[in-house]
Amino acid sequence: MNAWVVGGSGAVVNFAVFNVLLHGLGRRALVATVLASVVAVFTNHLGLRLLAHRDGAAGIGERPTLFFAFRGIGVVMESGLFYVGYHGLGLHGPLGSNAVKAVSLVLASAFRFLVRRTWAVPHEVLSRS
């Protein structure tokens, strides 16, 4: 259960940082989405270490190298999908950019979940979360 809370809070962090950078500070859209995703990855890592998998052998149930490698692939995937929607479809306003961010985040999160379940973490660790 705690892993779901951490993941949800990561999504909130991702959207908050994205909106502050893009709509508040006027940063470029791709820079905003990449930085927001990277900040969310680090907050998720800390959240998993501190809340969800405190008793796991590796702290978060998987080696940090795998955690960051798979999350890095997810950031690239999320950013690529965002780029296609934002620039390719011309969804530049606050509503459009957040809709594209949401779709790209959902698809990248599904990828991260499947990769984590399949390769990164033993099933007994996941069943405890």
Side-chain angles (χ1 to χ4, degrees), residues 33 50 66 79:
T33 197
L50 298 174
L66 283 177
S79 301

Side-chain angles (χ1 to χ4, degrees), residues 1 4 6 8 23 32 42 45 52 55 57 59 62 64 69 71-72 75 83 96 101 109 111 114 124 126:
M1 177 69 169
W4 291 98
V6 170
H23 302 296
F42 281 100
H45 177 71
D55 58 344
E62 61 188 297
R71 291 336 179 266
V75 168
Y83 183 87
K101 180 71 173 171
S109 295
F111 164 79
L114 292 173
E124 60 272 5
L126 284 174

Side-chain angles (χ1 to χ4, degrees), residues 19-57:
N19 279 291
V20 166
L21 290 173
L22 180 63
H23 302 296
L25 299 175
R27 300 291 186 249
R28 291 177 168 244
L30 194 57
V31 170
T33 197
V34 169
L35 289 176
S37 297
V38 169
V39 169
V41 165
F42 281 100
T43 59
N44 280 356
H45 177 71
L46 289 175
L48 288 171
R49 284 188 66 83
L50 298 174
L51 300 174
H53 299 298
R54 286 184 287 204
D55 58 344

Side-chain angles (χ1 to χ4, degrees), residues 66-77:
L66 283 177
F67 180 90
F68 287 111
F70 290 134
R71 291 336 179 266
I73 294 168
V75 168
V76 170
M77 178 185 212

